[in-house]
Amino acid sequence: MSVEAESAPAGGSAATRGSAGAGLRDQVHDAARRARVASRTLGTLTTTVKNRALHAAADAVLAHADAILAANAADLDAARAAGTAEAMLDRLALNPQRIDGIAAGLRQVAGLPDPIGEVLRGRTLPNGLQLRQQRVPLGVVGIVYEGRPNVTVDAFGLTLKSGNAVLLRGSSSAANSNAALVAALRGALAAEGVPEDAVQLLPSADRSSVTHLIQARGLVDVVIPRGGAGLIDAVVRDATVPTIETGVGNCHVYVHSAADIDVAERIILNAKTRRPSVCNAAETLLVDEALADTALPRLVDALSRAGVTVHDNPTEDDLRAEFLSMDIAVATVAGLDAAIEHINTYGTGHTEAIVTTNLEAAQRFTERVDAAAVMVNASTAFTDGEQFGFGAEIGISTQKLHARGPMGLPELTSTKWIVWGDGHTRPA
Amino acid sequence: MSVEAESAPAGGSAATRGSAGAGLRDQVHDAARRARVASRTLGTLTTTVKNRALHAAADAVLAHADAILAANAADLDAARAAGTAEAMLDRLALNPQRIDGIAAGLRQVAGLPDPIGEVLRGRTLPNGLQLRQQRVPLGVVGIVYEGRPNVTVDAFGLTLKSGNAVLLRGSSSAANSNAALVAALRGALAAEGVPEDAVQLLPSADRSSVTHLIQARGLVDVVIPRGGAGLIDAVVRDATVPTIETGVGNCHVYVHSAADIDVAERIILNAKTRRPSVCNAAETLLVDEALADTALPRLVDALSRAGVTVHDNPTEDDLRAEFLSMDIAVATVAGLDAAIEHINTYGTGHTEAIVTTNLEAAQRFTERVDAAAVMVNASTAFTDGEQFGFGAEIGISTQKLHARGPMGLPELTSTKWIVWGDGHTRPA
């Protein structure tokens, strides 16, 4: 079967159409329906076709670098005029080196194993019926994210490789950059005979397009919010489409009474200061009260010398905070079980670490701490799809359903049971 | 560590306390918090302890059979007085034989493999960090269901074996039966030193206890509705807790132009008439238009003779209906792709079947039909956890996230990454 024969109807992206009469809700739902049509074909593409399309998309991003950088310059000008903070401007900014990185990311996804079609389980039943459970795409995936244009291309690459159509709802601050990137991607798909509605950019001028997306039950299979706690909470609270909560990390490092204090110092400094703005950074240091006069002052001193503001008499708010800055809450706890209790109360279920030389304590901690990742004598900074060997990640799930921890390609799939018989009927 | 030392605080179930002052919301949330405390212990119980508790629970159900049957008689009297239909009374009714079946179900779950602790993936990273992904319980599971007291015990057995605490919100019509069953189960747990808050019955007199349960975000990890389409829609629509949609089945049998008509007749009769009230029963027969003058009249005649009311000029409502009765919609379609399109439009993503002798048609159908289970030359009636060899099922998921199709013990679990290092820090 030729791919072309199955292509979705032609037409611009939802972002570029939008007649005066059509409401925003209709516009989002229309995009979702076009995504569904595209997804029926995407789910049947061979790995070879998908990989070729990913390389073509990388080529197109490079070929359109000038237009993309010009669009990005317009976004940056507008953001500067609006008084946007320097850190946000840095996330928004593209340059030739970052464009190269974005294209390289697509080629890297092309090199990853294709999850679709993998047989997870199978058996022949006593009556001869042949059962197999196969990985299939989720279908239509919505991504809601903030002002980082690289996410636009990363999300496209991972969803295409896993056979899904993606609806991108980026930040209005990156609207021009995203439009230029998506135009390049869609052009590459069209040239490869892959439905260009595999990727559509939703309008971002009005906040309510997020609401329409997350309430398009039956049209959208899953929405993944990527961003700060406020964005994620709002999406999860108002969604009727299934969502995957990602990336809010109030991560702890607990220094057990039997810890090697050199190791503790190394780990807390790395977990706090390596990249304070990311979700796997440590936000609270818990020190066993047995070490209150020994390790505690040394660790506080080391953090202070590294430029960290130590909240050593933490309020309830400090203990709940995801600082994402060079701040840390420090508290003492009355032993292992008190540390576990504290973490299960205040943690967000992302990454939790213990520093100890005691095997029983390490085992009890890993068993009883309720989080996506639990580390023994290792920095919380390791919770990351690349570090875990997934090649790439779409986010880090902090929920328990469907996926937990770094999400790679398999986490963007569902399954289907395929059953072969030869006239089998079930006895009463 | 002794199990007793970790038991949750003593006290009656939420259903039996409920002071005049406490609101229903507080009562449900309080139960959920007690379930969370219990779940911390349940997740660490050995398989041996859980299996012993399941057998003790089976013994207790048998030992309390008189009290359970008396409570059930009271429910039946009230239901009869309220003019409840005979089919509903039959679902509600217990008798010594059914009690034996309920106890046997618990022993069967004791015999199933324990999913908890299974290592799903693992590797040693180039830096020596040791990673493994292990199955862990979901935590606190809510089940919302209708007037079938056996579900009370089935749900308890499966959630206990998978290390979860369960909050049961049954029908008010079965309130006495459920209370008697749960009292027996909790007594058995207490005697075995297992936290009795592993199972709690929520108040059912007021509908709003469902709302409080499905909106207890952060207190409850997942809610599984079991029942008709109305119940499931209401739960999924209003929930802020993640839910798993189950068991609404508008299942189709498509008779392809190259079908063996004897096989088609056998399969459609089985799929429609074996148990018309269950979700895997066929609700629509699609016949290829090439067979309009041959197979079609024969299949309609066979269905009619079997007592099925054939809606052979189906309205849009007929095509969308989950009849759950001896009714079927019959329509012709213009070939394989039209059948796939019809099913992807009207189906509920449960089970879809093709009857054909043509390999290419069978492959295209299994690839392109979007459903939890796709059958080739087999009755839709096979979609069932017992038939699939799972030993037992908590329901049949018709959603794509987390679980799809029959859900056994593994589908009641999440995962956790456990990472062992020896002082590992991540380079900048």
Side-chain angles (χ1 to χ4, degrees):
Chain A
M1 186 209 66
S2 90
V3 168
E4 288 83 341
E6 287 292 311
S7 289
S13 82
T16 56
R17 291 177 306 128
S19 74
L24 190 54
R25 183 171 177 279
D26 288 345
Q27 213 177 328
V28 172
H29 283 200
D30 184 45
R33 281 190 201 93
R34 293 153 59 86
R36 174 72 68 206
V37 171
S39 78
R40 303 276 185 223
T41 299
L42 297 171
T44 65
L45 297 182
T46 63
T47 308
T48 307
V49 169
K50 290 188 285 191
N51 290 348
R52 212 165 53 205
L54 287 165
H55 283 292
D59 293 341
V61 167
L62 295 176
H64 293 81
D66 289 348
I68 293 165
L69 288 171
N72 187 246
D75 284 336
L76 283 167
D77 285 348
R80 270 192 211 98
T84 303
E86 203 53 46
M88 301 276 273
L89 291 175
D90 181 59
R91 290 179 178 204
L92 178 57
L94 295 176
N95 55 40
Q97 196 185 352
R98 287 186 177 183
I99 299 250
D100 285 350
I102 285 171
L106 288 171
R107 299 194 203 283
Q108 188 187 357
V109 172
L112 294 177
D114 188 340
I116 301 305
E118 186 189 354
V119 177
L120 298 174
R121 286 187 278 180
R123 63 167 79 191
T124 301
L125 298 182
N127 61 8
L129 217 48
Q130 295 183 347
L131 241 70
R132 64 177 198 269
Q133 185 187 35
Q134 260 184 229
R135 275 198 200 282
V136 296
L138 285 167
V140 177
V141 176
I143 314 269
V144 181
Y145 56 108
E146 294 171 341
R148 298 177 59 171
N150 62 308
V151 173
T152 303
V153 182
D154 289 355
F156 158 75
L158 290 166
T159 49
L160 183 76
K161 182 73 182 240
S162 50
N164 296 289
V166 71
L167 295 171
L168 297 168
R169 196 338 189 137
S171 165
S172 58
S173 67
N176 292 302
S177 313
N178 289 340
L181 286 164
V182 169
L185 299 174
R186 287 172 60 95
L189 294 180
E192 290 292 320
V194 171
E196 50 185 350
D197 285 332
V199 54
Q200 293 181 77
L201 185 63
L202 298 179
S204 59
D206 189 323
R207 268 188 179 275
S208 64
S209 62
V210 175
T211 310
H212 298 314
L213 174 65
I214 67 180
Q215 297 185 347
R217 200 178 149 218
L219 298 175
V220 176
D221 293 298
V222 60
V223 172
I224 304 174
R226 283 189 57 166
L231 169 71
I232 290 163
D233 267 356
V235 166
V236 173
R237 194 183 52 237
D238 296 335
T240 56
V241 168
T243 56
I244 299 179
E245 292 189 55
T246 65
V248 175
N250 181 10
C251 305
H252 299 72
V253 173
Y254 165 54
V255 182
H256 180 247
S257 56
D260 176 327
I261 307 305
D262 290 340
V263 167
E265 181 175 332
R266 207 155 68 223
I267 285 177
I268 189 63
L269 284 175
N270 184 260
K272 179 68 259 182
T273 68
R274 181 184 164 277
R275 279 187 65 193
S277 66
V278 297
C279 59
N280 59 26
E283 304 292 10
T284 301
L285 168 65
L286 296 177
V287 179
D288 203 284
E289 64 180 11
L291 307 177
D293 298 329
T294 52
L296 179 60
R298 177 175 154 193
L299 296 174
V300 167
D301 186 51
L303 284 162
S304 298
R305 276 185 290 112
V308 177
T309 302
V310 175
H311 302 254
D312 58 1
N313 198 4
T315 64
E316 182 77 11
D317 279 355
D318 290 333
L319 294 175
R320 296 216 175 266
E322 189 190 17
F323 293 111
L324 299 175
S325 61
M326 289 286 270
D327 290 78
I328 195 164
V330 178
T332 55
V333 285
L336 177 63
D337 283 356
I340 294 168
E341 178 66 26
H342 181 104
I343 289 168
N344 285 340
T345 303
Y346 291 97
T348 53
H350 191 296
T351 302
E352 307 294 350
I354 184 172
V355 181
T356 187
T357 60
N358 181 291
L359 178 60
E360 201 184 332
Q363 285 176 324
R364 192 171 171 90
F365 188 86
T366 58
E367 246 187 10
R368 289 171 177 263
V369 164
D370 193 10
V374 184
M375 307 272 175
V376 177
N377 297 326
S379 170
T380 56
F382 285 108
T383 301
D384 174 279
E386 294 259 7
Q387 292 290 315
F388 276 23
F390 297 176
E393 72 173 34
I394 191 86
I396 296 174
S397 166
T398 53
Q399 71 178 31
K400 293 188 187 171
L401 230 56
H402 184 73
R404 199 177 192 202
M407 291 188 289
L409 290 170
E411 284 71 28
L412 287 170
T413 67
S414 182
T415 60
K416 180 198 274 189
W417 287 96
I418 297 175
V419 183
W420 293 77
D422 57 7
H424 284 73
T425 56
R426 183 171 168 189
Chain B
M1 183 211 67
S2 88
V3 169
E4 287 84 344
E6 286 293 311
S7 289
S13 80
T16 58
R17 290 177 309 124
S19 73
L24 190 53
R25 184 171 176 278
D26 290 345
Q27 216 177 325
V28 171
H29 283 201
D30 184 46
R33 282 190 201 93
R34 295 154 58 85
R36 175 72 67 205
V37 171
S39 78
R40 302 276 185 224
T41 300
L42 297 171
T44 65
L45 297 182
T46 63
T47 308
T48 308
V49 169
K50 291 187 284 191
N51 289 348
R52 213 165 53 207
L54 287 165
H55 283 292
D59 294 341
V61 167
L62 295 177
H64 293 81
D66 289 349
I68 293 164
L69 289 171
N72 186 247
D75 284 336
L76 283 167
D77 285 349
R80 271 192 211 98
T84 305
E86 202 55 43
M88 301 277 273
L89 291 175
D90 181 57
R91 289 178 176 202
L92 178 57
L94 295 177
N95 55 40
Q97 196 187 350
R98 287 186 176 181
I99 298 253
D100 285 350
I102 286 171
L106 288 170
R107 298 193 204 285
Q108 188 188 356
V109 172
L112 295 175
D114 188 340
I116 301 305
E118 185 190 352
V119 177
L120 298 174
R121 287 187 278 181
R123 64 169 77 188
T124 300
L125 299 181
N127 61 8
L129 216 48
Q130 295 183 346
L131 241 70
R132 64 178 198 271
Q133 185 188 36
Q134 262 184 226
R135 274 199 199 282
V136 297
L138 286 166
V140 177
V141 177
I143 313 269
V144 180
Y145 56 108
E146 293 172 341
R148 298 177 58 172
N150 63 306
V151 173
T152 303
V153 182
D154 288 356
F156 157 76
L158 290 166
T159 49
L160 183 76
K161 182 73 182 243
S162 50
N164 296 290
V166 71
L167 296 171
L168 297 167
R169 201 322 193 150
S171 164
S172 59
S173 68
N176 291 299
S177 313
N178 288 340
L181 286 165
V182 169
L185 299 174
R186 288 173 60 95
L189 294 178
E192 291 293 319
V194 171
E196 49 186 350
D197 285 332
V199 53
Q200 293 180 76
L201 186 64
L202 298 178
S204 60
D206 190 323
R207 268 187 178 276
S208 64
S209 61
V210 174
T211 309
H212 299 314
L213 173 66
I214 67 181
Q215 297 187 345
R217 199 178 150 218
L219 298 175
V220 175
D221 294 297
V222 59
V223 172
I224 305 174
R226 283 190 56 166
L231 168 71
I232 290 164
D233 268 356
V235 165
V236 172
R237 193 183 53 237
D238 296 335
T240 57
V241 169
T243 57
I244 300 179
E245 293 190 54
T246 65
V248 175
N250 181 11
C251 306
H252 299 71
V253 173
Y254 165 54
V255 181
H256 179 247
S257 57
D260 176 326
I261 308 304
D262 290 339
V263 166
E265 179 174 333
R266 208 155 66 222
I267 285 176
I268 189 62
L269 285 176
N270 184 261
K272 179 69 257 181
T273 68
R274 181 185 163 275
R275 280 186 67 192
S277 66
V278 297
C279 58
N280 59 26
E283 305 291 11
T284 301
L285 168 65
L286 296 176
V287 179
D288 202 284
E289 62 182 12
L291 307 176
D293 297 330
T294 52
L296 179 61
R298 177 175 153 193
L299 296 173
V300 167
D301 186 51
L303 285 162
S304 299
R305 277 185 288 111
V308 176
T309 303
V310 175
H311 303 252
D312 55 2
N313 196 5
T315 64
E316 183 77 11
D317 280 353
D318 289 334
L319 293 175
R320 297 217 176 264
E322 190 191 17
F323 293 112
L324 299 175
S325 60
M326 289 287 270
D327 290 77
I328 196 164
V330 178
T332 54
V333 284
L336 177 63
D337 283 356
I340 293 168
E341 178 66 26
H342 181 104
I343 290 168
N344 285 340
T345 304
Y346 291 97
T348 52
H350 191 297
T351 303
E352 306 296 350
I354 184 172
V355 182
T356 188
T357 59
N358 181 289
L359 179 59
E360 200 185 333
Q363 284 176 325
R364 191 170 171 92
F365 188 86
T366 59
E367 246 187 13
R368 289 174 176 259
V369 164
D370 193 10
V374 184
M375 308 274 174
V376 177
N377 296 327
S379 170
T380 56
F382 285 109
T383 301
D384 173 280
E386 294 259 5
Q387 291 291 316
F388 276 23
F390 297 176
E393 73 172 34
I394 193 87
I396 296 174
S397 166
T398 53
Q399 73 178 31
K400 292 188 187 169
L401 230 56
H402 185 72
R404 200 176 192 203
M407 293 187 288
L409 290 169
E411 284 72 27
L412 287 170
T413 67
S414 181
T415 60
K416 180 197 276 188
W417 287 96
I418 297 176
V419 183
W420 293 77
D422 57 7
H424 283 74
T425 55
R426 184 172 168 187

